Amino acid sequence: FPVTIAFEEEITNLGLSNAAVISSSIASGSNTIVQRDANGDVFVRVLNASQDIILTSDRNKKTNIVPISDPLIRLNKITGVTFDWKEDGSNSAGVIAQDVKEALSCSVKENENGELAVSQSGVVGLLVEAVKELQKELVALQREVISLKGGVA
């Protein structure tokens, strides 16, 4: 599909530096803003999105792959919230980056203005490991119940 890059003054009007606005003809009017900060980290913000955001996650692109430790302890540091954006008053839901930073610091990046951004894929990884840990606890409790009942399910 065709992709267009906004003019520099359009980006400046959004108050972003080192950014490009990319929109596709199939995005039903949505804009994707891509910004690279001074550290080289890339921040993506989608306005009026009507399609999925797909990020590279191929095993072949990664090293030092280790499951997230203590996922339930980490997850309990994060609160799912609803809120209104100060910028335009629109209602949304999500997490608070400062909470995620405390629980899983590698999933939070800071831009040159000191604003934090959350890697949603990092939060998903934490949720996956937390569910797996809960499943193990559930199985252990089920076995204990069976044992207490004298082996009768």
Side-chain angles (χ1 to χ4, degrees), residues 76-123:
N76 279 320
K77 294 178 180 180
I78 302 171
T79 303
V81 297
T82 60
F83 58 91
D84 296 330
W85 286 105
K86 289 181 179 180
E87 183 177 285
D88 63 5
S90 63
N91 189 257
S92 192
V95 295
I96 303 298
Q98 287 79 354
D99 296 344
V100 177
K101 186 175 183 180
E102 182 182 336
L104 196 65
S105 62
C106 63
S107 290
V108 177
K109 301 294 181 196
E110 186 173 342
N111 70 13
E112 66 258 9
N113 298 325
E115 296 170 331
L116 302 180
V118 174
S119 164
Q120 300 300 313
S121 60
V123 174

Side-chain angles (χ1 to χ4, degrees), residues 10 13 19 36 47 49 64 72-73 80 82 103 108 116 120 138 151:
E10 292 178 60
N13 291 339
R36 184 178 300 275
L47 306 173
N64 303 319
L72 293 176
I73 292 169
T82 60
V108 177
L116 302 180
Q120 300 300 313
L138 176 62

Side-chain angles (χ1 to χ4, degrees), residues 13-104:
N13 291 339
L14 292 169
L16 301 173
S17 61
N18 299 319
V21 178
I22 303 171
S23 33
S24 86
S25 62
I26 62 170
S28 301
S30 69
N31 290 314
T32 302
I33 301 169
V34 180
Q35 180 180 15
R36 184 178 300 275
D37 70 8
N39 298 321
D41 293 322
V42 175
F43 294 81
V44 178
R45 183 168 177 204
V46 179
L47 306 173
N48 302 320
S50 61
Q51 59 193 60
D52 290 340
I53 298 172
I54 300 174
L55 304 171
T56 300
S57 190
D58 192 299
R59 177 184 302 275
N60 296 321
K61 300 268 186 187
K62 302 174 183 183
T63 62
N64 303 319
I65 299 170
V66 178
I68 297 170
S69 62
D70 304 316
L72 293 176
I73 292 169
R74 292 173 188 261
L75 191 57
N76 279 320
K77 294 178 180 180
I78 302 171
T79 303
V81 297
T82 60
F83 58 91
D84 296 330
W85 286 105
K86 289 181 179 180
E87 183 177 285
D88 63 5
S90 63
N91 189 257
S92 192
V95 295
I96 303 298
Q98 287 79 354
D99 296 344
V100 177
K101 186 175 183 180
E102 182 182 336
L104 196 65

Side-chain angles (χ1 to χ4, degrees), residues 125-143:
L126 177 60
L127 292 171
V128 166
E129 290 306 307
V131 169
K132 288 164 54 176
E133 189 167 306
L134 287 172
Q135 179 64 30
K136 288 177 190 174
E137 290 180 13
L138 176 62
V139 168
L141 288 171
Q142 288 172 333
R143 288 182 179 149

